[in-house]
Amino acid sequence: MVRRVSQSLVAWFFVWDVVLTAGTWLAAYSVRFYSGLFTAHRGVPEFTLYLRTLPLIMLVAGIAYRFAGMYEVHRLRRFREELAAAARGVGLMALLVMATSFARQAQYESRGAMVMFAVGTLCSLLVARRISWTGMRRLRARGVNQSHALIVGTGRLARRTVRTLRAVNWSGIQPVGYVEDEGHRGSGADLPLLGSLAELPQLVEKHHIEHVFVALPLNRYADARRVFTALSQTVVDVQLIADLPAVAGMTFTTTQIHGMTVVGLRENPHHGLNVIVKRAMDIVLALIAIVLTGPLMALIAALVKLTSPGPVLYRQERCGLNGRSFMMMKFRSLRVDAEANGPQMTAKNDPRRTRLGAVLRATNMDELPQFFNVLWGDMSIVGPRPERPVFVRQFAKSIPNYNARHAVKAGITGWAQVNGWRGNSSLRKRVQFDLYYISHWNPLFDLRIVFLTVWRMLFSKQKHAY
């Protein structure tokens, strides 16, 4: 039943993709030549010429979308996978259309109309997909189009898998029970224990199973292979749940190298084009911030100089990208002799603060000079907050994966900070939120954090800001 529904979904997507592509082809012609927004220097081509090309456009679109993987329909498909497939499909389709135009010497096909056609097609396909998937997920959440799953294992990971499947009820995957051998059975009271690993083929047939989730600990790798062997004669989807709690919060990636599968456990998301995008955002946002806060920084500098002896700026060694040290700048908010007895963390009502420093730290305005650190490339606008080397060495001994924070540049603000984990708050929580940010980074996430930072500075009381 599920396979028939999947084929129906594929047919549904295919028909709508081709129809929307055809409609966008004609709409692009109308906008380009009849909307009045653009000037047709070479004259307006006849509509019949575009209409005659329509069957070729639909054929090319169907082929391009198929090869781009736009019809690999499965229940756990993520939107970014859908987006990547659609972008590949539309890009390939546009190239093929242009190639056929050159081959046919069809000079009447406007480049402006072609650009609008490609952009419009991508947008319309994505909107249609989201509407279709939203409808399907709502139906599945109400019990329509369900499929059954077995969970191999009864331990912590297996129970977590069951909880996750129940939470993502939009997938329509219903866990039926656990499968485990006699000597390893735990307390899986939330679902029945249906049998042993050797009985998997019979259990799959008996309970009409279509998904098997292997949720075994790493030290039972041999048993995982037994599961794959036992299921080799069945037609079910088998998913291996990675039991890697020591690197929780990091993203796992897989790469094929000459037939060998390599799993990446800790990779910097800022590579390739991402580096350029991230750096461009940092420069633009830092320049905007410096221009907007320049008068305020000048006023603060004057007040620091007038209200307490010592320098206006305070330079302090911090650890940044790959653990390398840099000198971070702040407006001085403590007395000059604040660390006469050695480095120490600031505390609530810290007596080392100056009167102006207490205000600056409570409002985060002492951090404003760090926009220059961003321009120099030592920091980013958004990222894990940098710590001093002496504290880094101390924290790395007691907090698992603490040094993984240094996979990206340190930031003026971060995901941990906008969620209240800053200053003398829970260090483990800060690391958890920092690793989440690293593994889920994208430009929109950065902009969201910047917005939340400004919003909470203006309208919320800053916790642990002292």
Side-chain angles (χ1 to χ4, degrees):
M1 175 181 173
V2 172
R3 288 187 181 84
R4 286 198 297 272
V5 172
S6 295
Q7 293 303 317
S8 299
L9 276 177
V10 169
W12 170 268
F13 286 144
F14 180 80
V15 169
W16 273 109
D17 290 347
V18 173
V19 168
L20 289 172
T21 301
T24 309
W25 173 256
L26 299 178
Y29 170 85
S30 300
V31 172
R32 173 64 180 85
F33 297 110
Y34 290 103
S35 65
L37 299 174
F38 306 95
T39 303
H41 297 289
R42 299 181 180 179
V44 178
E46 295 181 13
F47 179 71
T48 55
L49 297 177
Y50 267 74
L51 204 57
R52 289 174 193 168
T53 313
L54 199 55
L56 178 63
I57 298 297
M58 298 171 71
L59 175 63
V60 167
I63 295 173
Y65 298 161
R66 173 67 180 84
F67 277 100
M70 288 178 59
Y71 304 110
E72 296 175 3
V73 176
H74 59 81
R75 293 174 180 267
L76 300 178
R77 188 176 175 94
R78 295 171 295 180
F79 176 68
R80 62 183 180 185
E81 295 172 344
E82 196 92 58
L83 175 61
R88 288 196 304 269
V90 172
L92 178 59
M93 182 267 299
L95 290 174
L96 291 175
V97 169
M98 287 188 287
T100 56
S101 296
F102 285 123
R104 294 181 293 108
Q105 298 182 345
Q107 301 298 328
Y108 54 86
E109 289 174 5
S110 162
R111 285 174 292 182
M114 186 67 69
V115 171
M116 286 187 282
F117 167 56
V119 174
T121 299
L122 178 60
C123 294
S124 61
L125 293 187
L126 289 176
V127 170
R129 288 293 180 100
R130 295 310 295 166
I131 293 173
S132 297
W133 279 120
T134 299
M136 176 57 71
R137 288 177 174 182
R138 287 181 178 176
L139 289 174
R140 287 172 175 171
R142 296 177 181 177
V144 178
N145 183 223
Q146 302 293 296
S147 65
H148 299 147
L150 288 177
I151 313 299
V152 177
T154 54
R156 169 191 54 81
L157 189 63
R159 295 193 297 274
R160 182 182 175 189
T161 302
V162 171
R163 290 195 301 270
T164 301
L165 290 176
R166 286 174 172 169
V168 294
N169 55 4
W170 49 262
S171 69
I173 300 176
Q174 293 291 331
V176 174
Y178 294 108
V179 178
E180 183 59 287
D181 284 339
E182 193 73 41
H184 299 284
R185 292 179 178 177
S187 55
D190 50 344
L191 282 178
L193 185 61
L194 301 178
S196 64
L197 302 189
E199 299 173 293
L200 267 172
Q202 293 78 23
L203 294 174
V204 166
E205 184 176 354
K206 178 181 178 181
H207 296 280
H208 307 289
I209 300 299
E210 294 161 35
H211 306 272
V212 174
F213 292 88
V214 183
L216 297 173
L218 279 177
N219 59 4
R220 294 184 59 193
Y221 177 74
D223 286 337
R225 296 194 64 179
R226 284 178 53 209
V227 171
F228 299 139
T229 302
L231 295 173
S232 61
Q233 302 302 316
T234 63
V235 184
V236 291
D237 293 333
V238 182
Q239 310 285 340
L240 178 64
I241 309 297
D243 181 27
L244 298 168
V247 288
M250 302 300 284
T251 296
F252 309 135
T253 60
T254 58
T255 306
Q256 292 289 331
I257 303 178
H258 200 61
M260 178 176 66
T261 301
V262 179
V263 180
L265 302 182
R266 181 180 296 173
E267 296 184 356
N268 188 339
H270 302 161
H271 58 81
L273 183 61
N274 289 346
V275 175
I276 300 174
V277 173
K278 177 75 167 171
R279 183 61 182 148
M281 288 179 59
D282 283 341
I283 293 174
V284 171
L285 292 175
L287 288 173
I288 293 173
I290 289 171
V291 170
L292 293 179
T293 63
L296 177 61
M297 284 196 276
L299 175 62
I300 293 173
L303 291 175
V304 171
K305 195 65 178 176
L306 291 173
T307 56
S308 65
V312 170
L313 295 176
Y314 178 63
R315 290 178 171 84
Q316 191 176 69
E317 185 182 11
R318 297 290 179 106
C319 286
L321 179 64
N322 297 324
R324 291 194 297 266
S325 295
F326 69 96
M327 300 306 293
M328 188 183 78
M329 295 198 307
K330 303 177 70 171
F331 284 120
R332 185 174 56 82
S333 57
L334 304 180
R335 299 194 313 266
V336 176
D337 61 348
E339 294 193 332
N341 297 322
Q344 53 185 299
M345 301 284 285
T346 54
K348 191 173 183 179
N349 300 320
D350 198 312
R352 301 174 299 158
R353 298 178 301 175
T354 64
R355 283 183 297 175
L356 177 62
V359 176
L360 294 179
R361 298 181 77 91
T363 57
N364 301 301
M365 288 190 291
D366 60 325
E367 313 283 1
L368 290 177
Q370 290 164 36
F371 287 114
F372 291 98
N373 283 115
V374 174
L375 282 182
W376 297 332
D378 295 326
M379 296 178 66
S380 178
I381 296 292
V382 180
R385 284 296 293 163
E387 282 291 356
R388 302 171 70 174
V390 61
F391 295 133
V392 169
R393 290 190 291 270
Q394 175 185 334
F395 297 153
K397 294 177 182 178
S398 57
I399 306 296
N401 288 301
Y402 181 83
N403 281 328
R405 301 167 71 251
H406 299 133
V408 298
K409 285 184 181 179
I412 297 177
T413 185
W415 186 233
Q417 283 65 46
V418 298
N419 282 281
W421 302 107
R422 50 173 295 171
N424 252 353
S425 59
S426 168
L427 187 59
R428 290 181 181 272
K429 280 291 186 180
R430 283 161 55 190
V431 172
Q432 177 185 336
F433 277 78
D434 286 339
L435 296 185
Y436 179 89
Y437 165 76
I438 293 172
S439 62
H440 293 81
W441 177 86
N442 62 66
L444 292 180
F445 196 9
D446 270 6
L447 294 177
R448 176 186 175 191
I449 293 172
V450 169
F451 172 79
L452 289 173
T453 300
V454 175
W455 179 269
R456 289 176 185 176
M457 282 181 62
L458 296 176
F459 303 110
S460 301
K461 184 178 180 180
Q462 303 290 302
K463 296 189 296 183
H464 307 293
Y466 40 75

